[in-house]
């Protein structure tokens, strides 16, 4: 505020009493706080090594067991969401034209339903794995995300 605070004399002590014009505190909207807490609880920190493991599982010559396909697909979808978010936040498409194409492909493959047939599901997992791998590599190159610790010199094996 730009108003001047004037002293007021307290009649009992004859000392000036300061009156400070402060607005009363307002509590935040409960629904907004709950939404922010839910988002914070759902957040998963960036872990490039776990991403590499899941991409390797999706792209391996030995397909994942049938009972793990749905779980792996969910994790890959989550990685695609995070990578697209990182790309948009860092404005990577302004640095490299390939980013727009990879973001579009990541969104398309993420939105596709996992086929009911096991072999078709493996093919879909591989498409998602490649999308994660290529977008992650480009964002690492553009320094929008850090590379996995295991790929750094002196990283954990």
């Amino acid at each position: 505020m730009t108003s001047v605070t004037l002293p007021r004399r307290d009649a009992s002590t004859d000392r000036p009493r300061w009156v400070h014009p402060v607005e009363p505190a307002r509590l935040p909207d409960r629904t907004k706080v709950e939404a922010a807490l839910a988002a914070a609880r759902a957040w998963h920190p960036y872990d490039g090594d776990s991403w590499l493991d899941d991409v390797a599982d999706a792209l391996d010559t030995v397909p994942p067991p049938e009972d793990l396909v749905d779980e792996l697909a969910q994790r890959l979808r989550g990685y695609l969401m995070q990578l697209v978010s990182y790309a948009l936040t860092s404005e990577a498409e302004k640095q490299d034209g390939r980013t727009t194409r990879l973001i579009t492909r990541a969104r398309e493959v993420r939105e596709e339903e996992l086929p009911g047939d096991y072999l078709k599901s493996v093919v879909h997992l591989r498409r998602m794995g490649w999308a994660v791998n290529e977008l992650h590599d480009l964002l690492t190159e553009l320094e929008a995300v850090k590379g996995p610790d295991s790929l750094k010199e002196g990283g954990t094996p």
Side-chain angles (χ1 to χ4, degrees):
M1 298 190 117
T2 58
S3 64
V4 178
T5 305
L6 300 174
R8 236 186 237 178
R9 297 225 177 245
D10 188 357
S12 63
T13 60
D14 203 32
R15 282 185 280 154
R17 189 180 68 157
W18 292 96
V19 177
H20 188 67
V22 177
E23 293 181 25
R26 285 180 271 144
L27 294 175
D29 183 18
R30 183 177 180 87
T31 56
K32 290 180 181 179
V33 171
E34 288 173 356
L37 285 172
R41 288 182 186 124
W43 176 75
H44 297 289
Y46 170 81
D47 182 3
D49 291 320
S50 69
W51 292 24
L52 279 180
D53 291 342
D54 286 340
V55 168
D57 288 343
L59 299 178
D60 196 358
T61 56
V62 177
E66 192 169 351
D67 59 330
L68 298 179
V69 168
D70 287 334
E71 183 181 330
L72 182 57
Q74 284 299 97
R75 287 197 307 266
L76 290 172
R77 280 191 180 100
Y79 301 154
L80 288 171
M81 282 177 48
Q82 285 183 316
L83 287 171
V84 167
S85 177
Y86 293 151
L88 295 174
T89 303
S90 66
E91 298 179 340
E93 69 274 1
K94 292 180 181 177
Q95 297 175 359
D96 194 318
R98 298 175 292 173
T99 308
T100 304
R101 179 181 53 83
L102 292 176
I103 288 173
T104 302
R105 195 170 101 203
R107 285 178 169 163
E108 288 171 356
V109 74
R110 182 192 169 278
E111 291 174 6
E112 291 177 16
E113 290 292 323
L114 192 64
D117 181 52
Y118 172 66
L119 292 177
K120 290 180 181 177
S121 295
V122 170
V123 170
H124 184 68
L125 281 178
R126 291 185 178 178
R127 289 181 59 222
M128 283 198 293
W130 277 113
V132 169
N133 189 52
E134 289 179 353
L135 187 54
H136 184 264
D137 285 350
L138 180 60
L139 293 177
T140 303
E141 179 184 320
L142 297 174
E143 298 180 355
V145 297
K146 68 176 191 150
D149 293 334
S150 62
L151 296 180
K152 293 180 182 175
E153 287 185 36
T156 57

